[in-house]
């Protein structure tokens, strides 16, 4: 008796996979930067053309590094929120090739969770 060897993978069709088109490439960073007003945030462009945004209370930071953040492997965006004495803060980062509208969505949500005191 001979058994057929198991075939690798699975059987499907291209139609069953429901192929999608995914947004790729960095896009327009203004989608992110346009969310910040001079009333609530400081914006600085440094000598490398990196952009840094800080809330006036100093607890929110966003950095955009078009050529990559120094000392990292391709980090293009850095978001950080400083915690309090009772609750730790958090941070997140995105690659230089992450679409700006994805970063903008994350920033929008972070800003929505803040409130004036």
């Amino acid at each position: 008796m001979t058994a057929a060897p198991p075939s690798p993978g699975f059987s499907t069709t291209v139609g069953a996979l429901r192929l999608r088109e995914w947004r790729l490439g960095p896009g327009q960073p203004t989608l992110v930067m346009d969310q910040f007003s001079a009333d609530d945030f400081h914006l600085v462009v440094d000598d490398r053309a990196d952009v840094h945004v800080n809330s006036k209370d100093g607890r929110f930071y966003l950095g955009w590094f078009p050529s990559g953040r120094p000392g990292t492997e391709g980090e293009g965006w850095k978001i950080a929120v400083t915690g309090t004495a009772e609750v730790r803060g958090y941070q997140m980062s995105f690659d230089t090739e992450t679409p700006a509208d994805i970063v903008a969505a994350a920033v929008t949500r972070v800003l929505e969770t803040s409130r004036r005191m």
Side-chain angles (χ1 to χ4, degrees), residues 12-83:
T12 189
T13 64
V14 171
L17 291 175
R18 298 185 183 162
L19 296 177
R20 298 173 151 289
E21 183 175 315
W22 297 94
R23 181 163 311 225
L24 298 172
Q28 296 296 319
T30 55
L31 295 171
V32 177
M33 297 304 168
D34 286 350
Q35 296 184 64
F36 301 102
S37 69
D39 293 338
D40 295 317
F41 298 91
H42 297 290
L43 182 133
V44 173
V45 179
D46 67 20
D47 60 341
R48 286 178 21 104
D50 296 334
V51 179
H52 309 273
V53 178
N54 290 75
S55 59
K56 290 199 174 176
D57 68 359
R59 297 210 29 231
F60 173 86
Y61 170 79
L62 169 92
W64 176 47
F65 308 91
S67 299
R69 185 172 177 215
T72 68
E73 289 288 325
E75 184 179 70
W77 297 90
K78 182 71 166 187
I79 300 169
V81 177
T82 303

Side-chain angles (χ1 to χ4, degrees), residues 37 39-40 114-117:
S37 69
D39 293 338
D40 295 317
S114 71
R115 60 187 166 88
R116 290 182 191 256
M117 295 177 66

